[in-house]
Amino acid sequence: MKEGPDITLLGSLIGDPARANMLTALLSGKALTASELAGEAGISAQTASSHLAKMQSGGLLIQRKQGRHRYFALADDDVGSLLEAMMGLAAKKGHLRTRTGPKDPALRRARVCYNHLAGDLGVQMMDSLLAKGFLTPENEGLGLTEDGRRFFEGFAIDLAPLEKLRRPLCKSCLDWSNRRSHLAGSLGSALLTRFYDLGWARRVENSRIVSFNTPGEKEFMRMFAV
Amino acid sequence: MKEGPDITLLGSLIGDPARANMLTALLSGKALTASELAGEAGISAQTASSHLAKMQSGGLLIQRKQGRHRYFALADDDVGSLLEAMMGLAAKKGHLRTRTGPKDPALRRARVCYNHLAGDLGVQMMDSLLAKGFLTPENEGLGLTEDGRRFFEGFAIDLAPLEKLRRPLCKSCLDWSNRRSHLAGSLGSALLTRFYDLGWARRVENSRIVSFNTPGEKEFMRMFAV
DNA sequence: AGAATGCTTCGACTACAATCGAACTATGAA
DNA sequence: TTCATAGTTCGATTGTAGTCGAAGCATTCT
């Protein structure tokens, strides 16, 4: 017994409601200040401060000072993936939040997962990219084909700087609402940014929802048909 | 806010040391009795009973009555995967258990992950099966090729009954010690069983370690060379 | 039937962690 | 300099979850 890594710390960090709310808010990919997170969790600033310190020393968060603000963000993609994975299992086991609000359908359709697109549209995009042979499954992840390289460059995504990063270019991430994979990694992130830039979609304030407008969705559907 | 599934319950269930010890023990794939689990966690029977009830109602465990014993096991593969994923992140963040025992290297080399082979050897097997074209990455999982079908049948693994199960045949599972994938699913489980039957390896008592004997390891290496 | 084992329920105790008010530090604005 | 805002630290309070002893069922053994 007492073999392997210790999962209790991670579990207990995630297991507190206030902290879970903060983490969920940060899953939107935006860095938030301590007071914003306190508001998100519905607790006082002092309490939030203590929680944030714990999560930081536990490796879940990183902190960036900027003027008199302190911005907190998820430490890395792995933390985001774990949170999504837990949401997947929680959903499967029926652990829903007390009030499943009216936003729920919109959230299932298109939302931000840390920094890339998730939900029905995210899964569809992934399927389409695979079906057209732009991405291809590799050893343990995803690879970019020559066709894919041309496609993305044609979509005004500059691959060169992305490939220089330590972060993997393509990665698959499990979707809690669909239990299917969608595209993560720096390429997934770049695609989402491109959708914003093109004016196809925008972020809904204070939420993970990504809202496509009518022409934007039309373009998206044409480009990522299955 | 308050969007999506609730991860606090899962987190807090996993976040208690006694429960985490039990879950880790169950990750060996064996069903254990309440008293065995109490011993594993180092707590009294009463306390264990309360923990087990909570984990059961939280969907992490299932219970099977057999005579005057109650056997507990992980509820499904997803629970096992989540635990391995958490161990992966915990290891990466340096959350090791206080005493990293002498068993640790053996554990990294070959261990049971719920019901299939993990560790260096598990990863090597996966790599070999992919390299030889017996398995192939598919949409969101793994597929069996015609060559692969012949290979496994030749290895005296009867695929027909496995394919009838609701459980997926092939599945990849992330390894915490390697951060690479190994083969899960009913096929992964069948392979491990076959190794036991052939006398290549055996389980080390009260541990997740799988110990290969010299000729067994030789055969394994020949069969799953990379 | 009676005894023993395996497990759960009940009740009481304890320890710890979340919480907030108040005081303190740091940055920025007037 | 003085004031205001953002955040942390300290101390005290509170609630709750983990813990075990004792008693209660259920099943098997003799």
Side-chain angles (χ1 to χ4, degrees), chain A residues 156-177:
Chain A
I157 289 180
D158 190 6
L159 295 170
L162 300 183
E163 290 176 312
K164 289 211 186 75
L165 301 173
R166 250 187 323 155
R167 244 175 104 194
L169 186 66
C170 302
K171 216 179 133 184
S172 75
C173 178
L174 193 63
D175 208 288
W176 63 255
S177 48

Side-chain angles (χ1 to χ4, degrees), chain B residues 33 35 46 49 68 70:
Chain B
T33 65
S35 2
Q46 309 91 295
S49 179
R68 57 181 165 182
R70 304 221 170 163

Side-chain angles (χ1 to χ4, degrees), chain B residues 81-94:
Chain B
S81 296
L82 178 63
L83 293 174
E84 276 273 326
M86 289 188 74
M87 288 192 181
L89 190 60
K92 183 180 168 187
K93 302 294 181 185

Side-chain angles (χ1 to χ4, degrees), chain A residues 32-45:
Chain A
L32 299 174
T33 65
S35 3
E36 286 171 325
L37 287 166
E40 200 69 40
I43 52 177
S44 71

Side-chain angles (χ1 to χ4, degrees), chain A:
Chain A
M1 58 174 180
K2 312 275 175 291
E3 295 162 354
D6 181 18
I7 55 178
T8 56
L9 182 60
L10 286 181
S12 60
L13 284 176
I14 299 173
D16 176 79
R19 288 192 290 255
N21 281 333
M22 295 183 181
L23 289 169
T24 307
L26 289 171
L27 204 49
S28 73
K30 287 199 299 190
L32 299 174
T33 65
S35 3
E36 286 171 325
L37 287 166
E40 200 69 40
I43 52 177
S44 71
Q46 309 91 296
T47 311
S49 180
S50 139
H51 284 309
L52 290 168
K54 281 174 193 166
M55 289 196 279
Q56 195 178 352
S57 83
L60 291 181
L61 301 183
I62 49 172
Q63 194 195 97
R64 211 179 56 230
K65 294 187 66 163
Q66 201 164 96
R68 57 179 165 179
H69 291 279
R70 304 219 170 165
Y71 285 91
F72 290 86
L74 299 187
D76 51 45
D77 293 15
D78 290 330
V79 175
S81 296
L82 179 63
L83 293 174
E84 275 273 327
M86 288 187 75
M87 288 192 180
L89 191 60
K92 183 179 168 188
K93 301 295 181 186
H95 302 150
L96 301 178
R97 285 174 129 122
T98 37
R99 299 167 28 81
T100 103
K103 295 189 198 163
D104 216 58
L107 208 58
R108 284 170 186 275
R109 178 145 182 83
R111 68 176 179 283
V112 167
C113 172
Y114 190 39
N115 51 20
H116 53 268
L117 185 66
D120 296 341
L121 295 185
V123 169
Q124 177 181 333
M125 182 170 82
M126 175 77 143
D127 286 347
S128 167
L129 291 171
L130 283 168
K132 291 181 179 157
F134 294 157
L135 294 181
T136 179
E138 267 180 6
N139 289 338
E140 38 153 351
L142 286 167
L144 185 58
T145 63
E146 275 310 310
D147 278 356
R149 193 170 290 277
R150 274 188 293 277
F151 171 78
F152 290 115
E153 296 282 4
F155 194 44
I157 289 180
D158 190 6
L159 295 170
L162 300 183
E163 290 176 312
K164 289 211 186 75
L165 301 173
R166 250 187 323 155
R167 244 175 104 194
L169 186 66
C170 302
K171 216 179 133 184
S172 75
C173 178
L174 193 63
D175 208 288
W176 63 255
S177 48
N178 273 327
R179 301 198 65 72
R180 299 279 313 275
S181 292
H182 57 248
L183 180 65
S186 57
L187 184 57
S189 171
L191 275 167
L192 181 58
T193 309
R194 189 81 184 106
F195 299 153
Y196 294 149
D197 291 348
L198 286 168
W200 289 5
R202 59 177 183 79
R203 285 288 301 281
V204 173
E205 200 64 37
N206 297 324
S207 150
R208 294 174 64 194
I209 296 173
V210 173
S211 163
F212 279 74
N213 54 36
T214 318
E217 181 153 344
K218 219 164 187 169
E219 291 291 337
F220 180 94
M221 286 300 176
R222 185 176 322 152
M223 181 159 267
F224 302 106
V226 278

Side-chain angles (χ1 to χ4, degrees), chain B residues 18-76:
Chain B
R19 287 192 289 255
N21 280 333
M22 294 184 182
L23 290 169
T24 307
L26 289 172
L27 205 49
S28 71
K30 288 198 298 189
L32 299 173
T33 65
S35 2
E36 285 172 324
L37 287 166
E40 201 68 41
I43 52 176
S44 72
Q46 309 91 295
T47 310
S49 179
S50 137
H51 284 309
L52 290 168
K54 281 174 193 167
M55 289 196 279
Q56 195 178 352
S57 83
L60 291 181
L61 300 184
I62 48 172
Q63 194 197 92
R64 212 178 57 230
K65 295 187 64 163
Q66 201 166 96
R68 57 181 165 182
H69 292 279
R70 304 221 170 163
Y71 284 91
F72 291 85
L74 299 187
D76 51 45

